Amino acid sequence: MTRSGSSADVETIVDRPRGASTGETSGESTPPTRPPLDMDATVTSGASARARAAATLPTGPTTVPATGLEITEVIGVGGMGVVYKARQVGLGRQIAFKRLIDAPTDETRARFVREARLTAQLDHPNIVPVHLLDPGSDEAPSGYAMKLVEGKTLSTLISEAREQRALRKPLDEDHALDTRIEHFLKVCDAISFAHDRGIIHRDLKPGNVMIGAFGAVYVMDWGIARPIGSDAMTSSGARESASRSATEEADGELTRVGALIGSPQYMSPEQAQGKNAELDARSDQYSLGLLLHELVALTPANNAGTAAAALRAAERGERTPLDAIDGRPGKAPRVLRAIVARATALAPDARYRSVRALADDVRRFQRGDAVDALPEGPLARVLRFMSRHRRATLGTVIGVIVVAALTVMWTRYRQAANELATKTHGERLTALYGEVARQAHLIDTELHQLEEALEGLATAAEWALTSPEPSTADLPIYFDVDFADPVRRPADFTDKTAYRWPVSFDHMVVGMAPGTDRAALLPRIRRVLPLRDHMAQMMVAAAAGETTAVSPAEARALILARKGPIDYTYIDLPEGVHMQWPGMAALPPGYDVRTAGFYQISDHKRGKRWGAPYVDSTTDQSGDDLVLPITEGLWSPAGEFLGVAGVEITVTKMVETSMIMTGRSTLRTSLVDARGRRVIDSTDAGKRFVASGKDEAIEFTELDLPQIAAAIRKGAPGLREVVRNGRRIVVAFVRLESLGWYYVVEVDATTLGAK
């Protein structure tokens, strides 16, 4: 659940109406998202339930029988229960405990238990985990415990951004549109995960999204969630309905227990019309579209004055135009308006095929790519490319395509364009560049997977390193000396892998720098060992895809065959402890990870950082593969540096996989850095690089094509015809956004003319 502090910017998310009353929050005072609604009308039985709960709040610490919990303070009160801050005595950690209100109806109890069980089944980084269910004194579940999250709601963040804009202050990083959209994408990931498991939320709104420490995002309040395709029944047998009367007018964001199911201000038309049996993932998608609208404009899309008016607008699919961005007048970008319009289409069949498709379109918008919601013609594609590559818009490939119609716009490269226009194979040059650009995008996607995987690993590692030490009966510890000993090494240690050394799938290897106090560090090592399962899931997902179901045997086979983009994962402590998975017997004697370049780039630094490629000397002191690391510093909530998390890809493997141009005969493919220096090329396939015995970066050499190296130094991707050793070749080069390197492909010019 949420963790609520004493500061004014913290909001406790519970099953509660959001309106004029503040008795059900943790003291937060923020401007409303719109003018206050009529609160004089009578709401359903939730109001009396909240009054009864408030009257029975404890005044001091109490214990919950059969759970081992000690309640310390009240966080908030909602329509179905009271949320407490509690201490789990056995583990010594703080959690949130949600207890059912006194004298609940059968329907309220059933909904309460369903919320706990559904949430517990959704094991996702953006959904708060449920720890235990209190059986209650009469064996009817009366409460459940969950993770305590400190932060603020998305509603609060929107209000703060609106306040800053009203005061004419520049928005800080936490409130910037890009940050808000990143939060939105994490919400989409959580809802997509739930949809894949057959669950719809039905109450998505800013108040039900929590922004925790380190930018963690959690989708809350699954109280009215249900399986897709089921027509949920109340305890009396009556179906849930969106029917309402004039006496039910209250806050348009109200989540009611009874007649109205959901929040009218964020309902889909089909939900507002009471078609509960027909609701599916597209209903949640509609609510997400309204949420995206509000994140962009900082005002609600359904801005009706009362709950009844909001419900009528929702039934008709009415929303205010997206005529503001960051709270300022002026239309939002056309692409964003198209995305919101498609997600909130009146007919469900006209919306995106899934929430994942919606999120993919938003990510395309962020990258500046074409989106599915706004099909574009050839001219629009040219203009978008020009916008993203301003210094290269007069490049030779695009010049061939538009030289006749846009001559004035291509004056910077007119000479190059005219030269290509006179050649009969101009169209084939265009096709070549398009293929190279697509392949560069695939490489970029693979590198972005490493960034996303690292983000999840770093969050899990920070949580583990600040949590209580697990039981000594948990996973055994295998140090590098154990791996080196045939008697003490793990039982699953095998050399039947695609790695160049034997590995253990089931256990990490723990290396310690000389002079390290092993006994003092054992508690921290034990906290990290359970992350083995997270690392395995992360690497399998990168190899097989997020939505592909993989059996344990298939997962093991994928890792041992090195099918995915990730080759290594590790957690390093500042005392010189290196914990790597898969485990291997290849750490050299006296290995101190603190001297490695991949550790030093994130030592006491925040954020993800790509390191320079280095020769891996952990497997063989004389050298092995060329490895590309990305690492991130780990920090406690109190600001203490905890260590470094990292994932790595073998660059030499990229030469044999993602750098290959399928269907195209090439002379050479290369990776070149922004200074025009060669990193690696296809002639290095299968090569073992020579190392100095330390994990240190290699020295690059100047690309042997001076014209291409000079163009790359100017930051101008494109296509050139050059002569090398008396042979005419065509060279296409595209920038990789993740690294700032260039993907360079060389083709024999005569093959283009004969194709």
Side-chain angles (χ1 to χ4, degrees), residues 177-178 180-182 184-185 288-297 319 321-326 330-344 352 358-359 361-366 369 371 373-374:
L177 178 59
D178 287 344
R180 301 197 299 272
I181 289 179
E182 285 299 328
F184 173 78
L185 290 173
L288 287 170
L290 298 180
L291 178 58
L292 179 58
H293 178 122
E294 188 166 346
L295 289 170
V296 173
R319 62 179 177 85
L322 191 49
D323 287 340
I325 182 167
D326 274 344
K331 289 187 179 295
R334 180 167 173 255
V335 174
L336 265 181
R337 285 185 279 126
I339 292 173
V340 171
R342 182 166 178 183
T344 58
Y352 288 97
L358 164 62
D361 236 13
V362 175
R363 289 188 171 98
R364 293 187 192 98
F365 161 74
Q366 288 183 303
D369 293 339
V371 300
L374 192 64

Side-chain angles (χ1 to χ4, degrees), residues 707-750:
Q707 295 180 36
I708 307 303
I712 287 175
R713 282 192 290 271
K714 294 178 181 179
L719 185 146
R720 300 283 191 278
E721 288 191 23
V722 299
V723 176
R724 184 178 63 189
N725 299 328
R727 185 178 193 177
R728 189 165 56 92
I729 63 174
V730 177
V731 184
F733 46 103
V734 179
R735 188 176 187 270
L736 301 176
E737 298 298 330
S738 54
L739 295 173
W741 293 354
Y742 284 75
Y743 176 53
V744 181
V745 176
E746 301 169 35
V747 177
D748 188 333
T750 59

Side-chain angles (χ1 to χ4, degrees), residues 72 74 95 122 141 161 586 590 677 704:
T72 57
V74 177
I95 62 172
L122 299 176
R677 300 178 304 174
D704 58 0

Side-chain angles (χ1 to χ4, degrees), residues 384-416:
R384 177 172 55 80
F385 186 90
M386 291 168 58
S387 176
R388 292 187 62 192
H389 304 276
R390 298 182 186 277
R391 291 179 295 179
T393 54
L394 299 182
T396 55
V397 176
I398 303 302
V400 172
I401 299 175
V402 298
V403 64
L406 301 174
T407 303
V408 174
M409 300 176 62
W410 298 96
T411 54
R412 185 175 179 183
Y413 289 101
R414 182 176 298 171
Q415 182 177 357

Side-chain angles (χ1 to χ4, degrees), residues 493-517:
F493 194 72
T494 178
D495 60 357
K496 300 188 181 332
T497 79
Y499 288 92
R500 287 179 173 168
W501 57 88
V503 300
S504 168
F505 179 89
D506 292 333
H507 300 282
M508 292 185 188
V509 60
V510 180
M512 306 192 72
T516 304
D517 186 350

Side-chain angles (χ1 to χ4, degrees), residues 16-32:
R16 66 184 188 283
R18 295 181 50 78
S21 172
T22 61
E24 296 166 12
T25 70
S26 61
E28 174 176 325
S29 176
T30 57

